[in-house]
Amino acid sequence: DKKLFVFHAGDTVAVLIRDEEATQLTRLHEMDGAIYRYFGLGGNLQIDVTNHTLKNYDRILLISDGVTKVYHPAVAASIVEEHGDDLKQAVEDLTRRARTKGSQDDITVLLVVYDPYAE
């Protein structure tokens, strides 16, 4: 039914990109540089759960703190958008730019397009 369910705990950010507008779907579980919610925490883990209705060709950008420490999620989304439909180039460019900007953390970038007609 075109639903995206997001289960989140930690310092990775999910961003919905629709019609060249970025909407952050998750919030960082970090305070003073320390993560206070993360998978592996144990029985006290609280997971944020949200759901969103997707439209055809929406993009979901998942970025780790290696990106968000050097770029605001909206800026990361705009870098991705510079590459149009070239998803591979968008991911590679954002990763390279985060590394070049001096990120000292893990850099993970995942970009998914909701295409109901894809095989």
Side-chain angles (χ1 to χ4, degrees):
D1 291 335
K2 297 184 178 185
K3 286 287 188 186
L4 170 69
F5 291 88
V6 179
F7 300 84
H8 179 257
D11 57 0
T12 298
V13 173
V15 179
L16 170 68
I17 304 170
R18 174 183 291 157
D19 300 326
E20 299 179 13
E21 187 172 315
T23 303
Q24 191 168 324
L25 302 179
T26 59
R27 61 186 176 88
L28 293 175
H29 296 135
E30 185 176 75
M31 187 180 305
D32 297 326
I35 302 171
Y36 63 90
R37 280 198 213 168
Y38 55 89
F39 287 98
L41 181 63
N44 297 326
L45 177 63
Q46 295 177 353
I47 299 174
D48 292 342
V49 180
T50 58
N51 70 75
H52 312 272
T53 301
L54 294 175
K55 292 185 179 181
N56 294 350
Y57 310 108
D58 278 351
R59 295 172 181 219
I60 309 302
L61 176 64
L62 300 174
I63 48 179
S64 68
D65 57 340
V67 177
T68 59
K69 286 181 178 174
V70 294
Y71 287 113
H72 185 277
V75 174
S78 69
I79 292 170
V80 164
E81 285 294 281
E82 290 174 11
H83 296 281
D85 293 332
D86 192 342
L87 305 182
K88 182 177 187 285
Q89 186 60 40
V91 168
E92 288 175 355
D93 187 38
L94 180 54
T95 302
R96 181 187 51 75
R97 287 190 194 191
R99 195 172 288 124
T100 299
K101 197 152 173 126
S103 178
Q104 297 296 310
D105 215 319
D106 63 294
I107 299 172
T108 302
V109 178
L110 177 67
L111 181 59
V112 178
V113 176
Y114 174 66
D115 182 352
Y117 309 107
E119 295 182 16

